[in-house]
Amino acid sequence: MSEVRVRIAPSPSGNLHIGTARTALFNYLFAKKMGGKFILRIEDTDAERTSQEYIDNIFDSLKALGLNWDEGPDVGGPYGPYTQSQRFDIYPKYVQQLLDSGFAYECFCTPEELEQEKEEATKAKKPYVYSKKCENLTEEEKAKLRAEGRKPAIRFNIAKAQKAFHDSSILKFDDVVKGELHMDTDLLGDFVIQKSNGAPTYNFAVVIDDALMKISHVIRGEDHISNTYKQILIFEALGFEVPKFGHLGMILAPDRSKLSKRHGATAVSDFVKQGYLTDALINFVALLGWSPSDGEEIKSVDEIAKDFRLNEISSSNSIFEYDKLKWMNSHYIKMLPMEELKERLKPYLSQYNLDELTDAQYTKMVEITREPLTLLSDITDAVPYFFGKDVHIDEETQTKTLDTEVSQNVLKDFVPKAQTWDWTDENLHEKLADFRAEWKEKGVKPKVTMWAIRAAITGRTCGADMVGILDILGKETSLYRAQKAIK
């Protein structure tokens, strides 16, 4: 195939998983690097698990990550439709082609008969392989079974394909990520390509779709390797060109188990909801199994695409380090322009009345609280003391800090002196420094002095720059809180 054409084909049975997003990203990067096409196909044949909500989530998540597709259900393209449930009229033609050429046959076995075969294999301690007992049924036998009301499934004839295209039962292919892979196809058994209700199975439909959409490279998770052998045989039996396959290692949790919700967010939309920036998320995911040539980890999608090399993706599993993602996210938060950051933070400040602050005060609040943010959602717990007349003080802060004799004496001295201060940044900085120095001469450490003032005004013993806090709250609110903390 002269043009690189890759696809991502998620099943809308849940929100877009971060592992699927990684697969989408690597396909997107490869297409961008090679000047090819990135295609989105929705594989929605499992009607019971499919919902429009999940389809919308796939669209929204990929777009949020900047992984815009060249062809797909919403944008169209020359090889549509791009939703599998709308392609059911396409598959019967190719089923019939395989039947006519002897690469497939009708199977009238009931579920009970197949279950009995499996039980016998288990008793004999052998891997189950279909017995092929329907392979050579006569037309009379088939007619009799139909008269009984049986509807046949269609099975692929492994032995026929082996003989036609391969010297032995060992099927090999060169995986662009993992190198040469092989399997004894005798162990596959004649698998079903069309169910008795006429619906195509996954392994059959995906071959037809990939062939007709002229997919040149199939890049996906290693959990699909066992499917690849079946799909190669179908490609060959139908006379289609076999695409190149590349299988990515799994993404594991820090404890090396399968990544699940008990470890944290797993869906792209969950990460976004928690306050991860999509630029940080895409940057982090790109490094799960791939490394930039210059060793620099912070890169834009365009920079990654220029450097991306498909054959240098690691074949090993990758560990999803939430702490590293948070570090990277904090870096991207710091890089955001102030006006953009202010807008991005607003959804996480909905419980507060932002109308209490002028735009200048809101800007200053963000400026003095942004440094420790690892998630946008961290802002919610970082700023409650900027709102309202009173402040919440927890029991520990009250008893261990505010109720001490030193703190009470500091506050009794602070309130009347601060009443006389000019309430500007520059003056507050100077006056607080002088105030700390006075109490240091009395044997009180500067940090203890500030703990008393901070605890009374913010309800906390650590946090943003105190001068900035006082400036935003203003003299009246600041001193009201300090006075109220005096017993």
Side-chain angles (χ1 to χ4, degrees):
M1 298 178 187
S2 57
E3 182 185 36
V4 166
R5 290 177 59 82
V6 295
R7 50 76 167 176
I8 181 72
S11 172
S13 55
N15 291 334
L16 187 75
H17 191 274
I18 195 68
T20 308
R22 196 263 302 251
T23 302
L25 172 61
F26 282 0
N27 277 278
Y28 174 87
L29 292 171
F30 182 58
K32 201 169 180 66
K33 175 71 177 282
M34 304 303 293
K37 294 287 193 296
F38 174 59
I39 295 128
L40 172 63
R41 186 171 73 227
I42 299 296
E43 296 191 342
D44 61 342
T45 52
D46 188 344
E48 290 183 6
R49 299 176 64 200
T50 293
S51 81
Q52 187 60 46
E53 177 189 349
Y54 294 142
I55 294 174
D56 293 342
N57 182 271
I58 290 168
F59 277 56
D60 294 344
S61 297
L62 289 174
K63 286 177 180 176
L65 294 170
L67 304 181
N68 298 311
W69 44 96
D70 301 296
E71 300 170 24
D74 56 335
V75 297
Y79 304 108
Y82 293 88
T83 300
Q84 204 171 62
S85 61
Q86 298 172 13
R87 299 175 61 83
F88 272 19
D89 60 333
I90 294 172
Y91 307 121
K93 167 187 172 183
Y94 296 98
V95 172
Q96 192 60 51
Q97 182 179 329
L98 292 177
L99 286 168
D100 293 343
S101 59
F103 286 112
Y105 58 87
E106 293 177 312
C107 174
F108 291 84
C109 293
T110 64
E112 293 76 19
E113 289 170 336
L114 295 174
E115 189 58 38
Q116 186 177 346
E117 283 191 4
K118 291 175 184 175
E119 288 177 6
E120 289 171 359
T122 301
K123 288 178 184 176
K125 296 183 178 179
K126 293 181 179 179
Y128 172 67
V129 176
Y130 175 62
S131 64
K132 297 172 72 78
K133 68 180 183 180
C134 289
E135 180 185 4
N136 297 309
L137 291 175
T138 64
E139 290 305 318
E140 290 77 11
E141 289 170 323
K142 291 178 185 178
K144 184 180 178 183
L145 291 166
R146 282 193 174 89
E148 293 175 8
R150 296 198 191 190
K151 293 182 179 180
I154 310 298
R155 288 186 181 272
F156 187 80
N157 194 324
I158 292 275
K160 172 102 175 177
Q162 288 171 345
K163 188 174 181 181
F165 305 108
H166 301 279
D167 297 331
S168 71
S169 64
I170 304 300
L171 174 57
K172 301 177 183 177
F173 73 94
D174 186 24
D175 190 290
V176 294
V177 174
K178 294 184 174 292
E180 186 181 284
L181 297 176
H182 64 273
M183 182 185 188
D184 185 347
T185 53
D186 280 344
L187 299 174
L188 292 175
D190 290 352
F191 54 91
V192 174
I193 59 171
Q194 181 178 284
K195 300 173 187 176
S196 58
N197 64 3
T201 60
Y202 165 77
N203 279 308
F204 183 70
V206 76
V207 168
I208 306 305
D209 293 344
D210 284 344
L212 298 186
M213 292 180 186
K214 301 189 183 302
I215 301 302
S216 64
H217 295 72
V218 177
I219 305 164
R220 57 190 179 185
E222 65 178 25
D223 52 324
H224 280 285
I225 290 176
S226 60
N227 292 325
T228 301
Y229 299 102
K230 296 176 182 179
Q231 291 167 18
I232 288 173
L233 292 171
I234 297 173
F235 272 110
E236 293 172 334
L238 288 170
F240 291 134
E241 185 174 350
V242 180
K244 295 185 185 303
F245 290 92
H247 292 91
L248 310 172
M250 303 297 285
I251 298 177
L252 302 179
D255 62 4
R256 298 190 175 275
S257 64
K258 184 179 179 181
L259 190 67
S260 67
K261 288 185 178 179
R262 69 185 175 87
H263 299 107
T266 57
V268 170
S269 51
D270 290 337
F271 283 102
V272 173
K273 198 177 294 182
Q274 287 184 11
Y276 287 95
L277 299 176
T278 51
D279 286 347
L281 198 56
I282 206 81
N283 191 165
F284 174 78
V285 168
L287 302 178
L288 294 174
W290 178 82
S291 300
S293 57
D294 60 5
E296 291 292 328
E297 292 193 322
I298 304 295
K299 287 183 180 290
S300 68
V301 172
D302 288 342
E303 290 171 330
I304 293 169
K306 288 177 184 176
D307 192 30
F308 188 73
R309 302 164 308 283
L310 186 62
N311 63 334
E312 291 186 18
I313 295 174
S314 170
S315 62
S316 303
N317 294 330
S318 301
I319 305 299
F320 197 98
E321 300 177 53
Y322 286 91
D323 288 344
K324 182 173 181 179
L325 174 57
K326 282 189 174 181
W327 165 81
M328 189 170 281
N329 198 57
S330 70
H331 174 86
Y332 274 90
I333 288 175
K334 291 179 179 68
M335 289 169 61
L336 279 180
M338 177 53 67
E339 289 305 310
E340 183 178 351
L341 178 58
K342 284 162 60 179
E343 285 304 309
R344 297 253 194 149
L345 290 174
K346 283 181 180 178
Y348 304 99
L349 296 169
S350 59
Q351 69 192 72
Y352 306 117
N353 181 13
L354 284 177
D355 291 339
E356 290 182 31
L357 305 179
T358 65
D359 183 63
Q361 288 173 321
Y362 177 45
T363 301
K364 186 159 194 172
M365 184 188 81
V366 174
E367 283 176 346
I368 65 176
T369 56
R370 76 184 293 177
E371 180 64 30
L373 298 180
T374 58
L375 301 172
L376 293 178
S377 57
D378 288 346
I379 196 70
T380 308
D381 293 331
V383 299
Y385 53 81
F386 286 103
F387 302 92
K389 188 77 171 174
D390 292 291
V391 66
H392 171 72
I393 301 171
D394 63 47
E395 187 177 345
E396 184 177 0
T397 303
Q398 183 71 48
T399 56
K400 290 188 176 180
T401 303
L402 286 176
D403 287 350
T404 65
E405 184 180 354
V406 171
S407 291
Q408 287 293 307
N409 289 333
V410 166
L411 291 172
K412 288 172 184 174
D413 187 30
F414 171 73
V415 172
K417 285 182 176 176
Q419 287 283 7
T420 67
W421 294 353
D422 181 15
W423 216 259
T424 62
D425 254 23
E426 186 176 347
N427 192 56
L428 284 169
H429 184 80
E430 182 181 323
K431 292 295 185 182
L432 278 175
D434 291 344
F435 188 78
R436 287 194 298 269
E438 290 173 18
W439 277 87
K440 187 177 181 181
E441 289 180 7
K442 299 176 184 179
V444 178
K445 294 179 180 179
K447 66 180 181 180
V448 175
T449 301
M450 291 309 298
W451 280 346
I453 298 170
R454 184 183 290 277
I457 294 173
T458 71
R460 305 177 179 196
T461 55
C462 60
D465 171 56
M466 200 62 217
V467 171
I469 293 171
L470 293 172
D471 183 44
I472 294 169
L473 289 175
K475 180 187 284 191
E476 182 183 346
T477 298
S478 298
L479 297 186
Y480 164 79
R481 293 179 182 178
Q483 181 67 50
K484 194 173 180 181
I486 298 171
K487 295 202 165 186

